[in-house]
Amino acid sequence: MELKGEIREIIFQNEINSYTIAVIKTEIEELTVVGYLPFITIGDSLKLEGKYVTHPEYGRQFKIETFEKIMPETLDSLERYLANGTIKGVGPTIAKRIVDYFGQETMYVLKFEPEKLADVKGITTSRATEIATQFNENWELWQIVGFLEKFGIGVQNAKNVYKALGINAIEEIEANPYILIDVANNVDFKLIDKMALEMGVALNNEKRIRSGIKYALIRATYNGHCAVLKENLYQFVKDLLNVEFDDIENAIINMRAKKEVYLEERDEKIWVYLYYYYEVEENIAGKLLTLDKAKNIKRISNLSKEIKEIEKKTNIFLSEKQKEAIEAVNNNNVCIITGGPGTGKTTIIKTIIEIYKKHKKKTVLCAPTGRAAKRMTETTGEEAKTLHRLLEIGKIEEEGNYENIDFDIAPLDADVVIIDEMSMVDVFLMNYLVKALYQGTKLILVGDVDQLPSVGPGNVLEDLINSEKITTITLNKIFRQAAKSKIILNSHRINNGEIFIKKGEIEDELNEDFFYIKENNQEKILEQVISLCSGRLKKMGDYDFFKNIQVITPTKKGLLGTKDLNKALQEKLNPHEETKNEKNVLGTIYRVGDKVMQIKNNYDILWEKNGNASEKGTGVFNGELGIIEKIDDMEKQIKVKFDDKIVWYQYAELDQLEHAYAITVHKAQRK
């Protein structure tokens, strides 16, 4: 059914997804409507499609399936619309004056003769222009929102489309629907393609084929790849679009000419890149080689003597391999130090810091994630930052500005830059880094190639090692202290294709820090996880779940995925109590005492130091873990205590948090 009316009251609106309960006045009646109504305020006129339903408690309602914002149809409704707060500087008084002055001509004046608004008392010439501009921009945006809805593109993406294409967005999309692939995020190519074909676009239309090729290459990057084999790409696009190989070849030729793709022959195979991915790889390789070949102005003479003095001072004696790594750092501007857990990478970093500190050289420590940077600080005693914070690239990255590799990054003031956990650095992050380095700066890349690769595209550390162009020291000896850990020994065994150490296989010098429980039934595994978290580990080693235990799983879905595990663990470890405040967000209940994780970088959110409210700062980053300490319904905000800081989240910001009783393997990387 279809209804037309004006929003008279908003009873409830979810701050995150805009699910709304509102009262609408039609020509016949006032009734309650329920559904998703983003950016709607009192006074808006809507055309709704949906159906009547009967709520067991609240009675007859209209359930919204789709909606369209329409122009107010009476002067009273127009006055309420202008006064509803969407136009800056126009409140009830000014709105009434405008409508009283222009009457039925009000809409015409706002659209075509805005200068006349200055005739109204209280409106200057400049303010008249601002009012009309805001009115028309709001209206154009909503026209685009309605138009894009049939392409499966939501309101937030509609803003991006409007920002990219401006007031002619609808005309440009009608002329070439595939332009949406370039200007909107995470669009459904198949839906856009279906709409385009219905609009009369031919199967072998070049714009269609070019968009299909881009879509295929972008999908590959979601799986971590920077390029795909030409024959694989052609077959995928042929199956996707039902076109001939010749059509694809012709499109590729034109895309190469326009620098949209790049073809590289390597190992007698042809690889196809999106052009800016190739540029990024080429820039990284070129910058690293230039940096490495530059004059070694930071080289320290008589290094052996320096090492002996530090060994004596710290009472830590380095292995020959560790000394070789430090010498490699001294003799080269770019150096890689790689090895598994327990092989002495941290000791090397600490020694390098001591050496350069003695010579008054500035050493900068960094890592790709907040948790890795924090751990680096703890193990070295020196401040370490995330690469995002160090390079100040958060805003650039969040805007998805990957195609522009020429933006300026402030040069790093450093003599030596040490990056830990390099396996998690993707090509874009590496590109930002090399752009910030002066020639003469030493760059030390530290990591374990056997860890999971980066979440983003590229496998930078392993590719650099395999290139054999950068001096690499591989550490393979497990040190005695580390060798007491079954975790470390078993991690090396797994990498070598060997089975776990069994109980009693090695004498009691080993720490009992690794257990393997074999179960093939999902329900029984769930029981084991809950049992371990809710008492068994506490009894065994006084491990407290909220301080010492983290459940990690490969997937989000299913009985053993994060979604169901979080619900089960919350119910067991932090159940509902009348004395605990709760907040329901899209069916997820956040409760005081819950363990939560920040799931996106937020560079602007304010925090205060735990225990010292006078010390404040900004920034909470993807992977940081915290505990909900307070839920304030009056102020509509939640207080979260992270390791060393307190953050207040508005309810509208809760999409940045999710439960962290259980997290995915990839989220564990972000820690």
Side-chain angles (χ1 to χ4, degrees), residues 151 172-181 192 195-196 199 201:
F151 289 96
E172 289 201 41
I173 295 165
E174 286 177 333
N176 176 21
Y178 299 102
I179 198 171
L180 291 169
I181 301 294
I192 291 172
M195 297 296 297
M199 291 165 63
V201 173

Side-chain angles (χ1 to χ4, degrees), residues 348-573:
I348 293 170
I349 292 173
K350 290 168 72 173
T351 305
I352 290 169
I353 293 169
E354 286 293 324
I355 290 170
Y356 286 103
K357 189 189 289 186
K358 179 182 174 184
H359 289 268
K360 295 183 169 43
K361 303 294 184 186
K362 184 175 180 180
T363 303
V364 169
L365 309 182
C366 55
T369 69
R371 186 56 63 93
K374 185 173 185 289
R375 189 165 56 245
M376 200 178 187
T377 298
E378 291 168 349
T379 56
T380 64
E382 302 289 331
E383 182 189 13
K385 295 182 178 179
T386 65
L387 279 162
H388 295 81
R389 174 69 83 182
L390 178 69
L391 302 172
E392 299 179 349
I393 57 173
K395 300 287 171 41
I396 295 168
E397 194 173 65
E398 285 181 355
E399 289 171 3
N401 198 17
Y402 291 141
E403 293 189 51
N404 178 14
I405 71 162
D406 294 324
F407 57 79
D408 292 328
I409 285 184
L412 286 177
D413 176 20
D415 297 300
V416 182
V417 176
I418 304 175
I419 308 175
D420 200 8
E421 302 289 1
M422 254 303 295
S423 63
M424 289 189 277
V425 175
D426 64 27
V427 289
F428 290 108
L429 200 48
M430 190 64 187
N431 184 52
Y432 301 145
L433 173 68
V434 297
K435 287 171 69 68
L437 296 176
Y438 286 113
Q439 281 195 40
T441 302
K442 280 188 178 290
L443 177 64
I444 306 166
L445 310 176
V446 183
D448 179 1
V449 292
D450 291 320
Q451 288 186 354
L452 282 173
S454 60
V455 177
N459 197 358
V460 177
L461 179 63
E462 187 171 356
D463 287 348
L464 288 176
I465 292 171
N466 291 340
S467 74
E468 299 182 354
K469 299 290 185 183
I470 304 297
T471 299
T472 300
I473 304 300
T474 302
L475 306 171
N476 45 32
K477 176 188 173 184
I478 304 175
F479 283 85
R480 186 171 181 273
Q481 193 63 31
K484 293 180 180 180
S485 167
K486 278 189 180 178
I487 294 173
I488 290 175
L489 289 178
N490 279 327
S491 68
H492 285 274
R493 282 200 170 200
I494 292 165
N495 286 337
N496 295 330
E498 300 167 4
I499 62 172
F500 300 138
I501 297 170
K502 296 176 183 175
K503 192 172 181 66
E505 182 180 332
I506 297 177
E507 290 305 318
D508 289 340
E509 190 181 1
L510 286 183
N511 295 322
E512 285 296 331
D513 59 3
F514 179 97
F515 302 90
Y516 175 63
I517 301 169
K518 185 175 181 179
E519 287 284 4
N520 296 320
N521 179 282
Q522 288 195 29
E523 285 77 12
K524 287 184 178 179
I525 294 171
L526 180 59
E527 288 174 11
Q528 290 274 15
V529 170
I530 292 173
S531 173
L532 286 163
C533 293
S534 60
R536 282 163 63 191
L537 289 171
K538 179 76 173 173
K539 290 176 183 176
M540 190 202 82
D542 196 26
Y543 295 115
D544 177 83
F545 179 85
F546 292 94
K547 295 178 181 176
N548 314 114
I549 300 171
Q550 182 61 63
V551 179
I552 300 173
T553 182
T555 182
K556 293 182 178 180
K557 297 180 180 179
L559 186 65
L560 299 175
T562 53
K563 192 171 181 181
D564 284 359
L565 275 172
N566 273 312
K567 283 184 180 178
L569 289 166
Q570 181 195 40
E571 186 177 333
K572 184 69 177 178
L573 300 167

Side-chain angles (χ1 to χ4, degrees), residues 37 107 370 456:
L37 293 175
M107 298 291 287

Side-chain angles (χ1 to χ4, degrees), residues 73 135 159 343 399 511 544 633 645 656:
E73 295 180 344
F135 176 86
K159 282 186 171 181
T343 55
E399 289 171 3
N511 295 322
D544 177 83
D633 276 326
K645 57 195 174 190
Q656 299 177 34

Side-chain angles (χ1 to χ4, degrees), residues 132-351:
T133 299
Q134 285 185 53
F135 176 86
N136 288 306
E137 281 184 353
N138 287 343
W139 200 254
E140 286 157 3
L141 173 60
W142 276 105
Q143 296 297 103
I144 294 169
V145 168
F147 177 75
L148 291 177
E149 191 175 40
K150 61 186 178 183
F151 289 96
I153 294 176
V155 174
Q156 190 58 46
N157 249 334
K159 282 186 171 181
N160 296 335
V161 173
Y162 178 74
K163 187 177 177 182
L165 302 180
I167 59 174
N168 297 318
I170 293 175
E171 290 82 355
E172 289 201 41
I173 295 165
E174 286 177 333
N176 176 21
Y178 299 102
I179 198 171
L180 291 169
I181 301 294
D182 296 324
V183 298
N185 298 323
N186 301 317
V187 294
D188 185 341
F189 176 84
K190 291 181 179 178
L191 180 59
I192 291 172
D193 190 44
K194 181 175 179 289
M195 297 296 297
L197 293 173
E198 289 173 359
M199 291 165 63
V201 173
L203 279 175
N204 64 348
N205 180 287
E206 188 183 332
K207 290 176 181 176
R208 177 174 185 258
I209 297 170
R210 283 168 59 190
S211 291
I213 292 167
K214 279 189 177 181
Y215 167 72
L217 292 171
I218 289 169
R219 268 193 58 170
T221 68
Y222 293 158
N223 292 321
H225 305 298
C226 294
V228 298
L229 284 169
K230 181 180 176 182
E231 58 264 32
N232 292 350
L233 174 67
Y234 279 35
Q235 188 61 54
F236 180 88
V237 174
K238 183 180 188 297
D239 294 341
L240 176 72
L241 302 180
N242 192 25
V243 294
E244 300 301 322
F245 286 122
D246 286 347
D247 296 324
I248 301 169
E249 180 68 26
N250 290 334
I252 285 284
I253 291 169
N254 289 333
M255 292 175 79
R256 288 181 71 184
K258 294 178 180 179
K259 291 191 173 181
E260 293 176 348
V261 297
Y262 187 91
L263 273 63
E264 180 183 62
E265 188 171 346
R266 191 168 69 245
D267 302 327
E268 298 182 354
K269 294 177 180 178
I270 297 176
W271 296 83
V272 185
Y273 291 79
L274 286 167
Y275 193 84
Y276 54 94
Y277 277 78
Y278 179 78
E279 279 188 299
V280 165
E281 282 200 355
E282 187 179 48
N283 190 59
I284 293 169
K287 291 274 188 181
L288 287 177
L289 290 174
T290 301
L291 190 67
D292 197 34
K293 291 175 181 176
K295 187 176 180 180
N296 190 356
I297 58 176
K298 303 294 190 308
R299 190 178 187 282
I300 293 170
S301 58
N302 205 358
L303 183 67
S304 297
K305 182 182 176 183
E306 301 271 357
I307 292 174
K308 285 178 182 177
E309 288 177 0
I310 289 173
E311 285 180 316
K312 187 176 180 181
K313 176 183 174 184
T314 61
N315 202 29
I316 294 174
F317 296 96
L318 302 171
S319 70
E320 291 305 312
K321 202 69 175 177
Q322 287 176 313
K323 291 176 183 177
E324 182 187 340
I326 295 167
E327 287 168 359
V329 168
N330 193 42
N331 294 331
N332 298 275
N333 287 328
V334 183
C335 184
I336 297 171
I337 300 170
T338 185
T343 55
K345 298 188 295 293
T346 299
T347 301
I348 293 170
I349 292 173
K350 290 168 72 173
T351 305

Side-chain angles (χ1 to χ4, degrees), residues 621-640:
F621 302 103
N622 194 352
E624 291 196 53
L625 295 172
I627 302 291
I628 295 176
E629 288 199 330
K630 186 176 181 179
I631 296 176
D632 188 339
D633 276 326
M634 290 289 290
E635 299 294 331
K636 294 187 176 181
Q637 56 185 3
I638 284 180
K639 178 184 179 183
V640 179

